[in-house]
Amino acid sequence: MDINGKGIYERIIEAIKIRGIKNIDLYKKLGITRQHLARWKNGSLPSIDILYAIKEELNVSLDWLITGKNEQDATDPAAPFQIVNRIDYYLEDKTKHKKWEENFYSSIAEIVKPYELEDWLNSRQVLDISKVVKIADKLGASVQYFITGSQISKSEYTEKYFGQRETEDANFYREFSCLDNERRKEAKHIINMLFNEQYGKKQ
């Protein structure tokens, strides 16, 4: 993959524009000079310290900032773009506003800004699952639906996998789909252990 300063510079400008902030304010705050910008435009790479400061200030993914990478698994129901699309569909149905209308995101404006949803959609920012939970609570929607596309309720989910009894295991399993791939593997291992332990007790 070709990593160069010009691409990084263009992504910085893109993120600044989406957030509606002034270039000069960000540059002044981070100590970025015209000389820095000129070097980046010509292909030189910013230092890791500056990159990290920009990432923190703009709240973007470092991976996206450096590589422009935007790879999401279209078959994964918990992929960020899938979650954003389900939020959009739910809002359109609930508010009767079209996505491009001014009041479309007003009901969740105190939780998430429209550009944050666009960032999740385009992998500019790591999806904040705690905000997805707050959005679901605010809209009276199922968190499980937003994350997995399944309309199964909490009680149905618990009963399906753990019987009638509400347990910490059930609560843990409901959060399973929020995890990244590495932690999913760990979670699968733990869940298998828990299942085997519970199954063994019933024998």
Side-chain angles (χ1 to χ4, degrees), residues 19 53-61 115-116 119 124-126 131:
R19 282 150 179 72
I54 293 169
K55 166 213 177 291
E56 289 293 296
E57 192 64 30
L58 294 177
N59 191 23
V60 295
S61 159
Y115 76 73
E116 287 183 85
D119 281 348
R124 285 189 291 262
Q125 184 183 134
V126 176
K131 289 192 176 183

Side-chain angles (χ1 to χ4, degrees), residues 9 11 22 31-32 56 69 78 92 126 141 150-151 157 182 185:
Y9 171 79
R11 286 187 285 278
K22 293 182 179 178
I32 295 171
E56 289 293 296
K69 188 176 179 183
E92 188 168 340
V126 176
S150 169
Q151 289 286 10
Y157 203 88
E182 183 179 345
K185 290 177 183 176

Side-chain angles (χ1 to χ4, degrees), residues 28-179:
K28 192 179 293 185
K29 185 172 184 177
L30 300 181
I32 295 171
T33 66
R34 290 181 181 177
Q35 288 76 19
H36 285 117
L37 298 174
R39 288 199 297 270
W40 300 346
K41 282 183 183 179
N42 289 325
S44 295
L45 293 170
S47 71
I48 193 63
D49 290 343
I50 288 181
L51 277 173
Y52 193 79
I54 293 169
K55 166 213 177 291
E56 289 293 296
E57 192 64 30
L58 294 177
N59 191 23
V60 295
S61 159
L62 192 59
D63 187 43
W64 174 80
L65 186 59
I66 294 173
T67 68
K69 188 176 179 183
N70 184 18
E71 294 179 6
Q72 299 194 53
D73 183 358
T75 64
D76 182 0
F81 81 93
Q82 300 270 34
I83 294 173
V84 173
N85 284 338
R86 284 191 284 270
I87 291 171
D88 285 346
Y89 293 148
Y90 193 90
L91 277 171
E92 188 168 340
D93 181 60
K94 188 176 180 68
T95 66
K96 306 305 179 188
H97 289 110
K98 298 294 183 186
K99 187 177 178 182
W100 55 85
E101 291 179 346
E102 185 177 350
N103 293 325
F104 186 75
Y105 290 114
S106 61
S107 58
I108 57 172
E110 73 277 14
I111 301 168
V112 65
K113 294 179 173 59
Y115 76 73
E116 287 183 85
L117 291 168
E118 292 296 323
D119 281 348
W120 297 347
L121 194 67
N122 296 294
S123 294
R124 285 189 291 262
Q125 184 183 134
V126 176
L127 186 141
D128 185 342
I129 213 69
S130 68
K131 289 192 176 183
V132 176
V133 172
K134 288 178 183 176
I135 290 169
D137 287 344
K138 176 72 175 180
L139 298 177
S142 161
V143 177
Q144 204 64 32
Y145 165 68
F146 281 157
I147 296 171
T148 69
S150 169
Q151 289 286 10
I152 191 167
S153 70
K154 176 179 175 180
S155 60
E156 288 172 327
Y157 203 88
T158 302
E159 184 175 349
K160 180 175 180 180
Y161 291 103
F162 298 95
Q164 298 291 339
R165 192 164 46 87
E166 176 69 12
T167 66
E168 288 185 14
D169 301 350
N171 189 46
F172 174 77
Y173 201 87
R174 278 195 302 276
E175 298 300 325
F176 173 58
S177 57
C178 308
L179 305 175

